[in-house]
Amino acid sequence: MPSQKVLEAKKQVVADLTDRIKNSVAGVIVDYHGISVADDTKLRKELREAGVHYTVIKNTLIKFAADNAGLSGLDDVLNGTTAIATSETDYVAAARILAKYADSHEKFAIKSGYLDGEVISLDKINSLAKLPSREVLLANVLGAFNAPIASFARAVQAIVDKDGEPAEAVEAPAEA
């Protein structure tokens, strides 16, 4: 039977992981079996740069934390070698990075994930992974907003260039 000190340490790990899951917008659970230390280091660096917290934790501790956070449905995937990646702000970063990594490493696999406190299917995780980053999406939206204004400015400039001189201001007739 584990000592009281060990039990307290495990309770603290579960409490910390519960808070991390509750405060995150998205998370992905993976099977990291068979990856090298060098590959793992590269993966962790990429996740860290994207603001994703990645941790290898025992399955039973993830189960307790997930249950405490209200995520049911993860019990089936909590076996073997398991790691969890969570993001507090970016919905797609963890899914995008881990799916790209899983494509290039045959033993590395995505097991499950969650989004806004609900367990999602592997299809949804793969769909999230295909989305561009937040910055790219914002640039596309801003480009769409900017396009009509830029077209109008080019049309006005073409009129000015065609006539050679700026158009004279037309005064409205004075009202009596």
Side-chain angles (χ1 to χ4, degrees), residues 26-94:
V28 178
I29 296 174
V30 298
D31 179 356
Y32 66 91
H33 178 74
I35 63 172
S36 68
V37 173
D39 286 342
D40 186 53
T41 302
K42 288 177 193 174
L43 175 64
R44 287 175 185 264
K45 181 178 186 262
E46 187 175 356
L47 289 166
R48 193 171 36 255
E49 288 172 352
V52 177
H53 191 114
Y54 178 82
T55 312
V56 173
I57 299 181
K58 290 186 175 210
N59 291 319
T60 54
L61 300 180
I62 294 175
K63 180 191 178 323
F64 289 135
D67 289 344
N68 292 345
L71 288 176
S72 59
L74 292 177
D75 294 351
D76 297 343
V77 299
L78 295 178
N79 51 47
T81 55
T82 305
I84 184 168
T86 58
S87 177
E88 292 182 4
T89 57
D90 195 338
Y91 285 88
V92 299

Side-chain angles (χ1 to χ4, degrees), residues 97-172:
I97 294 168
L98 293 170
K100 180 180 81 173
Y101 192 81
D103 287 343
S104 62
H105 295 80
E106 76 178 52
K107 290 187 178 182
F108 189 89
I110 295 176
K111 292 181 174 185
S112 185
Y114 65 91
L115 193 63
D116 286 331
E118 293 184 28
V119 176
I120 58 175
S121 67
L122 286 176
D123 291 336
K124 287 186 181 180
I125 293 171
N126 290 328
S127 296
L128 282 175
K130 292 175 185 170
L131 289 174
S133 69
R134 182 177 188 270
E135 291 77 20
V136 172
L137 287 173
L138 286 174
N140 288 342
V141 169
L142 292 176
F145 286 149
N146 195 28
I149 297 167
S151 296
F152 177 72
R154 283 192 295 275
V156 169
Q157 186 63 45
I159 292 170
V160 169
D161 291 345
K162 180 180 176 186
D163 293 340
E165 296 180 14
E168 294 180 20
V170 179
E171 292 183 24

